[in-house]
Amino acid sequence: MKHKELNEFWSTSFYVFENTEHEKYKEEILDYLYDLKGTGDDSYDVAGAAKGGSLFETHFKLFQTASEKCEGIKQIYDFCHESIGQVVIHKNEVVPPNSEVMVLDSWAHITNDGGFHDTHNHPNCSWCGIYCIEKGNSNQKTQNGINRFHSPLNSSMVDAGNYYLRAGVWDWEPSDGHLVVFPSYLMHSALPYSGDIDRIVISFNSTTVVQQEAI
């Protein structure tokens, strides 16, 4: 028996992009972020109880304030902005005219010595991204410093009929110059990291608005 039609809803998509220009700017970006950490003036702490170990977090306007001071961060912003635009078009298929992607919050994490960020999601935005500056010793096999994403579905049981739901989490191993984009409703976490060098990422939230034409 052949089904008459197939309807699929509530799928969750992840997008991974690679910035081929990353190595060109990496050292400049690292210098800028370590300067921020050294001064401590730009540190910020949201949901401190959900974090632990050695985790430095910048303020939440990194792209806005750093793009004029650091060419490398400006390049990453442009890369992430373009990537989100591609995601919005691909996932929605039809996008209203005059739509514009806006990056809202953006911040960096410098992590080591067991630093982690517990499970959370990001309200008041549509798509989120994590861009890896330096993966350090992040490793999926040992679960060191990976990002873990949790299924948004709430199933009371898994049997042979819905075996495809068996994977309750998806783990992403950061890699230098790679960006993972995911919907804001997803619960996710950064597992504890320790290594010879720091694990450094830039995260951001985005929204897409329809600009009104001038009359």
Side-chain angles (χ1 to χ4, degrees):
M1 181 174 64
K2 186 177 181 180
H3 61 259
K4 182 178 179 181
E5 67 179 58
L6 173 64
N7 298 292
E8 294 201 43
F9 297 95
W10 306 298
S11 65
T12 298
S13 299
F14 298 83
Y15 298 82
V16 178
F17 299 87
E18 179 181 5
N19 182 3
T20 57
E21 296 290 306
H22 179 77
E23 288 301 319
K24 178 179 177 181
Y25 298 100
K26 179 178 177 179
E27 292 304 317
E28 178 193 6
I29 296 167
L30 292 175
D31 289 344
Y32 184 86
L33 294 178
Y34 277 118
D35 282 346
L36 288 183
K37 182 180 180 182
T39 62
D41 295 336
D42 287 311
S43 63
Y44 198 62
D45 189 14
V46 173
K51 305 165 189 172
S54 178
L55 189 155
F56 170 78
E57 183 175 75
T58 67
H59 59 84
F60 274 33
K61 297 296 180 183
L62 182 66
F63 282 150
Q64 291 91 326
T65 60
S67 291
E68 295 182 358
K69 304 174 183 177
C70 178
E71 180 64 25
I73 291 182
K74 173 65 165 58
Q75 195 274 341
I76 291 176
Y77 166 79
D78 291 340
F79 173 80
C80 293
H81 186 268
E82 181 181 353
S83 298
I84 292 293
Q86 293 180 31
V87 167
V88 170
I89 292 172
H90 180 267
K91 189 63 178 178
N92 290 285
E93 296 183 356
V94 177
V95 180
N98 304 319
S99 296
E100 180 181 350
V101 171
M102 299 179 63
V103 174
L104 304 172
D105 311 307
S106 55
W107 63 99
H109 279 174
I110 301 176
T111 311
N112 214 325
D113 300 327
F116 69 91
H117 195 324
D118 211 346
T119 307
H120 63 290
N121 64 3
H122 296 185
N124 303 319
C125 58
S126 54
W127 291 94
C128 307
I130 302 172
Y131 182 94
C132 179
I133 306 295
E134 172 59 68
K135 68 172 290 182
N137 299 106
S138 300
N139 187 285
Q140 188 164 355
K141 291 183 178 179
T142 61
Q143 298 185 349
N144 184 35
I146 61 173
N147 288 101
R148 173 161 290 174
F149 298 89
H150 299 262
S151 169
L153 302 178
N154 183 16
S155 179
S156 59
M157 67 170 291
V158 176
D159 61 14
N162 63 358
Y163 188 65
Y164 66 96
L165 297 177
R166 69 193 181 281
V169 299
W170 178 68
D171 292 337
W172 181 67
E173 178 183 313
S175 184
D176 290 12
H178 284 69
L179 164 70
V180 61
V181 176
F182 55 96
S184 63
Y185 60 78
L186 272 186
M187 301 295 290
H188 60 285
S189 59
L191 271 59
Y193 171 79
S194 294
D196 298 331
I197 57 178
D198 295 334
R199 173 191 186 272
I200 303 176
V201 300
I202 294 178
S203 299
F204 64 90
N205 300 327
S206 72
T207 185
T208 301
V209 298
V210 178
Q211 300 290 352
Q212 299 296 324
E213 294 184 357
I215 300 176

Coordinates of all heavy atoms in Angstrom, one line a residue, residues 3 5 7 22 29 31 36 45 49 62 64 66 74 87-89 105 118 125-126 141 152 155 168 174 176 183 185 191:
H3 N 1.3 5.4 0.4 CA 0.6 6.5 1.1 C 0.2 7.5 0.0 O 0.8 7.7 -1.0 CB 1.5 7.1 2.1 CG 2.8 7.7 1.6 ND1 4.0 7.1 1.7 CD2 3.0 8.9 1.0 CE1 4.9 7.8 1.2 NE2 4.4 8.9 0.7
E5 N -0.3 10.9 0.5 CA 0.5 12.1 0.6 C 1.3 12.1 1.9 O 1.0 11.4 2.8 CB -0.4 13.4 0.6 CG -1.3 13.6 1.8 CD -2.1 14.8 1.7 OE1 -2.8 15.0 0.7 OE2 -2.0 15.7 2.6
N7 N 3.0 14.6 4.8 CA 3.1 15.9 5.4 C 4.1 15.9 6.5 O 4.0 15.0 7.4 CB 1.8 16.4 6.0 CG 0.7 16.5 4.9 OD1 0.8 17.4 4.1 ND2 -0.3 15.6 4.9
H22 N 39.2 32.3 7.8 CA 39.3 32.4 9.3 C 40.8 32.5 9.7 O 41.1 33.4 10.5 CB 38.8 31.1 9.9 CG 38.9 31.0 11.4 ND1 38.1 31.8 12.2 CD2 39.8 30.4 12.2 CE1 38.5 31.5 13.5 NE2 39.5 30.7 13.5
I29 N 42.0 38.4 16.1 CA 40.8 38.3 16.9 C 41.2 37.8 18.3 O 40.7 38.3 19.4 CB 39.8 37.3 16.3 CG1 39.3 37.8 15.0 CG2 38.7 36.9 17.2 CD1 38.6 36.8 14.1
D31 N 44.0 38.3 19.9 CA 44.6 39.4 20.7 C 43.6 40.3 21.2 O 43.7 40.8 22.3 CB 45.6 40.1 19.7 CG 46.8 39.4 19.4 OD1 47.1 38.4 20.1 OD2 47.5 39.7 18.4
L36 N 40.4 42.2 26.0 CA 39.2 42.4 26.8 C 39.2 41.6 28.1 O 38.8 42.2 29.2 CB 38.0 41.9 26.0 CG 37.5 42.8 24.8 CD1 36.3 42.2 24.1 CD2 37.3 44.2 25.2
D45 N 27.9 38.9 33.0 CA 27.5 37.7 33.5 C 26.0 37.6 33.5 O 25.4 38.2 34.4 CB 28.1 37.5 34.9 CG 27.9 36.0 35.4 OD1 27.6 35.2 34.6 OD2 28.1 35.8 36.6
A49 N 24.5 31.3 37.7 CA 24.3 30.0 38.3 C 24.3 28.9 37.3 O 24.5 27.7 37.7 CB 23.0 30.0 39.1
L62 N 29.2 42.6 21.3 CA 30.6 42.4 20.8 C 30.7 42.8 19.4 O 31.6 43.6 19.0 CB 31.0 41.0 21.0 CG 32.5 40.7 20.5 CD1 33.5 41.4 21.4 CD2 32.7 39.2 20.4
Q64 N 28.8 44.8 17.6 CA 28.5 46.3 17.5 C 29.7 47.1 17.9 O 30.1 48.1 17.2 CB 27.3 46.7 18.3 CG 26.0 46.1 17.7 CD 25.6 44.8 18.3 OE1 26.5 44.0 18.7 NE2 24.3 44.5 18.5
A66 N 33.0 46.0 18.6 CA 34.4 45.6 18.1 C 34.6 45.7 16.7 O 35.8 45.7 16.2 CB 34.6 44.1 18.6
K74 N 35.0 42.1 12.5 CA 34.1 42.6 11.4 C 33.9 41.6 10.3 O 32.8 41.4 9.8 CB 34.7 43.9 10.8 CG 34.0 44.5 9.6 CD 32.6 44.9 9.9 CE 32.0 45.8 8.8 NZ 31.9 45.1 7.5
V87 N 20.2 30.9 5.7 CA 19.3 30.0 6.5 C 17.9 30.4 6.4 O 17.0 29.6 6.2 CB 19.8 30.0 8.0 CG1 18.7 29.3 8.9 CG2 21.1 29.3 8.1
V88 N 17.6 31.7 6.6 CA 16.2 32.2 6.5 C 15.6 31.9 5.2 O 14.4 31.4 5.1 CB 16.2 33.7 6.8 CG1 14.8 34.3 6.6 CG2 16.6 34.0 8.3
I89 N 16.3 32.1 4.1 CA 15.8 31.8 2.8 C 15.5 30.3 2.6 O 14.5 29.9 2.1 CB 16.7 32.4 1.7 CG1 16.7 33.9 1.7 CG2 16.3 31.9 0.3 CD1 17.7 34.6 0.9
D105 N 22.1 40.3 20.1 CA 23.1 40.1 21.1 C 24.3 39.3 20.4 O 24.1 38.5 19.6 CB 22.6 39.3 22.3 CG 21.3 39.9 22.8 OD1 21.3 41.1 23.1 OD2 20.4 39.1 23.0
D118 N 25.5 25.5 31.4 CA 24.5 24.5 31.5 C 23.3 24.7 30.5 O 23.3 25.7 29.7 CB 23.9 24.6 32.9 CG 23.4 23.2 33.4 OD1 23.3 22.3 32.6 OD2 23.2 23.1 34.6
C125 N 14.4 35.9 19.9 CA 15.1 35.9 18.7 C 14.7 34.7 17.9 O 13.9 33.9 18.4 CB 16.6 35.9 18.9 SG 17.2 34.4 19.8
S126 N 15.1 34.5 16.6 CA 14.7 33.4 15.8 C 15.8 32.4 15.6 O 15.6 31.2 15.7 CB 14.1 33.9 14.5 OG 15.0 34.7 13.8
K141 N 34.6 12.6 21.0 CA 34.7 11.2 21.6 C 34.8 11.3 23.1 O 34.2 10.5 23.8 CB 35.9 10.5 21.0 CG 35.8 10.1 19.6 CD 37.0 9.3 19.1 CE 36.8 8.9 17.6 NZ 37.9 8.1 17.1
P152 N 13.7 18.9 20.9 CA 12.5 19.7 21.4 C 11.3 18.8 21.5 O 10.2 19.4 22.0 CB 12.3 20.7 20.2 CG 12.8 20.0 19.0 CD 13.9 19.1 19.4
S155 N 8.6 12.9 24.0 CA 7.9 11.6 23.8 C 8.0 10.8 25.1 O 9.1 10.7 25.7 CB 8.6 10.9 22.6 OG 8.0 9.6 22.4
G168 N 18.2 11.6 21.6 CA 17.6 12.7 22.4 C 18.5 14.0 22.3 O 18.1 15.1 22.7
P174 N 33.2 21.8 18.1 CA 33.6 23.0 17.4 C 34.9 22.8 16.6 O 35.7 22.0 17.0 CB 33.9 23.9 18.6 CG 33.1 23.4 19.8 CD 33.1 21.9 19.5
D176 N 37.8 25.3 14.2 CA 38.1 26.6 13.9 C 37.5 27.1 12.6 O 37.6 26.4 11.6 CB 39.7 26.7 13.8 CG 40.4 26.5 15.1 OD1 39.8 26.1 16.1 OD2 41.6 26.8 15.1
P183 N 17.8 26.9 15.6 CA 16.6 27.7 16.0 C 16.7 28.1 17.5 O 17.2 27.2 18.3 CB 15.4 26.8 15.7 CG 16.0 25.5 15.6 CD 17.4 25.6 15.1
Y185 N 14.7 28.1 19.9 CA 13.9 27.4 20.9 C 14.7 26.2 21.4 O 14.3 25.6 22.4 CB 12.6 27.0 20.3 CG 12.6 26.1 19.1 CD1 12.9 24.7 19.2 CD2 12.4 26.6 17.9 CE1 13.0 23.9 18.1 CE2 12.4 25.8 16.7 CZ 12.7 24.4 16.9 OH 12.8 23.6 15.7
L191 N 29.4 21.7 27.2 CA 30.0 20.7 28.2 C 31.3 21.2 28.7 O 32.0 22.0 28.0 CB 30.1 19.3 27.6 CG 28.8 18.5 27.7 CD1 27.6 19.1 27.1 CD2 29.0 17.1 27.2

